Amino acid sequence: MARAEASVTVDEIKARVVGTLPRDLIIDLLDTAVSRARQAHELIRDNTDLSGRSARGLEGQARFRLMEKGFQDACEAHGGLRLEGDIIPGTDLRYFQPFMRFGGDGPGVLLGLASMPEPRELPTRNQSRLAGVTLNYRLTPRLDLEDDGSTAQPGDIFVLLLFARDPSQGGRLQEVAIGVIDTEYQGYLAYETVESLMKAYAPSTSGADTVPDGEPLVRLKRKPKAFRPPEQPDSDEAVDGSAE
């Protein structure tokens, strides 16, 4: 008898991500995204005479390719395995970007990389991402025509490391997040900034990154204040007027 299967909750998706992706990997991916964005900006600024739209377009291409390399290197350093071949397992769908798998023999996470036009906006559809989200079929409500219980066990899920550039500051990012897109590519089943996601992990046993209560563990770098000579009164505002 046909039945409607309940969707997986956001908390269940988050638990899979936190239980599968190492905490230090998330920190390294954030650091890599920030540094590669800056590298791409400096590359175009210092080595071309482009400006305006042309400079931004070339910087965007360089940023993604540099991030893609850094993303793969960071994943491999933390035990991620690049998906072999160019076909999503169990389908005939091809992909052309590095997809890194975590999870060993059990249900795991297939991690990809994507840029967002704005924070929380879906990344542009491409063949690779459309192929990847097919893995999230079991996470969304659907009509199950076989009431034999065979669909109860979820398999890998497709998760994206997402970033949005800061349009007001060249070489900087406005947001870095983890997102899971539904199989129809209509919206996020789960979305969490890296800063928020880190709160779900157990504290580091080394204590090297311990921070006071209420302070975020990781955050994107803000625009630095302008240099103020020691003789300048403390009451004076920074030249650039930036606020903490």
Side-chain angles (χ1 to χ4, degrees):
M1 181 177 179
R3 60 185 171 88
E5 184 175 342
S7 61
V8 175
T9 68
V10 172
D11 287 344
E12 289 173 319
I13 295 174
K14 184 175 178 179
R16 169 75 72 85
V17 171
V18 171
T20 306
L21 301 182
R23 175 182 184 278
D24 289 344
L25 167 67
I26 302 298
I27 295 175
D28 283 353
L29 287 174
L30 174 63
D31 289 344
T32 296
V34 171
S35 64
R36 295 283 175 138
R38 182 173 60 250
Q39 182 183 2
H41 176 70
E42 294 172 350
L43 178 68
I44 305 307
R45 182 196 64 193
D46 299 341
N47 295 281
T48 75
D49 59 356
L50 298 176
S51 61
R53 185 174 181 179
S54 296
R56 290 192 299 272
L58 189 56
E59 180 180 332
Q61 295 178 38
R63 179 172 55 244
F64 189 83
R65 294 308 174 193
L66 287 169
M67 282 192 177
E68 195 173 55
K69 180 61 167 63
F71 164 80
Q72 184 173 341
D73 289 348
C75 287
E76 289 177 345
H78 290 278
L81 300 175
R82 181 163 178 170
L83 200 64
E84 293 294 337
D86 58 357
I87 301 290
I88 296 291
T91 76
D92 58 357
L93 300 173
R94 294 184 177 276
Y95 62 92
F96 302 93
Q97 295 175 219
F99 287 164
M100 307 300 296
R101 188 182 184 277
F102 295 83
D105 295 334
V109 165
L110 195 62
L111 187 63
L113 176 71
S115 64
M116 301 177 287
E118 298 284 346
R120 293 187 177 271
E121 283 192 20
L122 289 175
T124 302
R125 302 184 189 196
N126 62 23
Q127 189 170 346
S128 296
R129 292 170 200 145
L130 286 171
V133 298
T134 60
L135 294 178
N136 298 334
Y137 173 70
R138 301 186 189 283
L139 302 181
T140 52
R142 67 185 191 281
L143 192 63
D144 188 354
L145 300 180
E146 295 184 12
D147 194 11
D148 60 1
S150 62
T151 61
Q153 298 299 320
D156 286 357
I157 63 174
F158 181 66
V159 178
L160 283 170
L161 176 72
L162 302 152
F163 64 90
R165 72 178 185 89
D166 187 340
S168 67
Q169 302 181 65
R172 294 182 181 271
L173 299 177
Q174 188 173 2
E175 187 155 290
V176 180
I178 292 289
V180 177
I181 301 175
D182 70 82
T183 191
E184 299 297 327
Y185 218 97
Q186 296 297 312
Y188 289 109
L189 297 171
Y191 180 98
E192 190 123 16
T193 65
V194 166
E195 180 180 304
S196 176
L197 182 69
M198 289 303 303
K199 298 175 183 178
Y201 284 86
S204 172
T205 55
S206 67
D209 50 15
T210 301
V211 294
D213 290 342
E215 288 292 319
L217 179 62
V218 288
R219 58 186 172 187
L220 296 181
K221 296 179 181 177
R222 296 178 179 178
K223 184 178 180 180
K225 289 184 176 180
F227 172 72
R228 181 173 59 197
E231 64 273 13
Q232 188 171 340
D234 291 339
S235 59
D236 287 356
E237 294 182 356
V239 175
D240 65 0
S242 60
E244 289 294 334

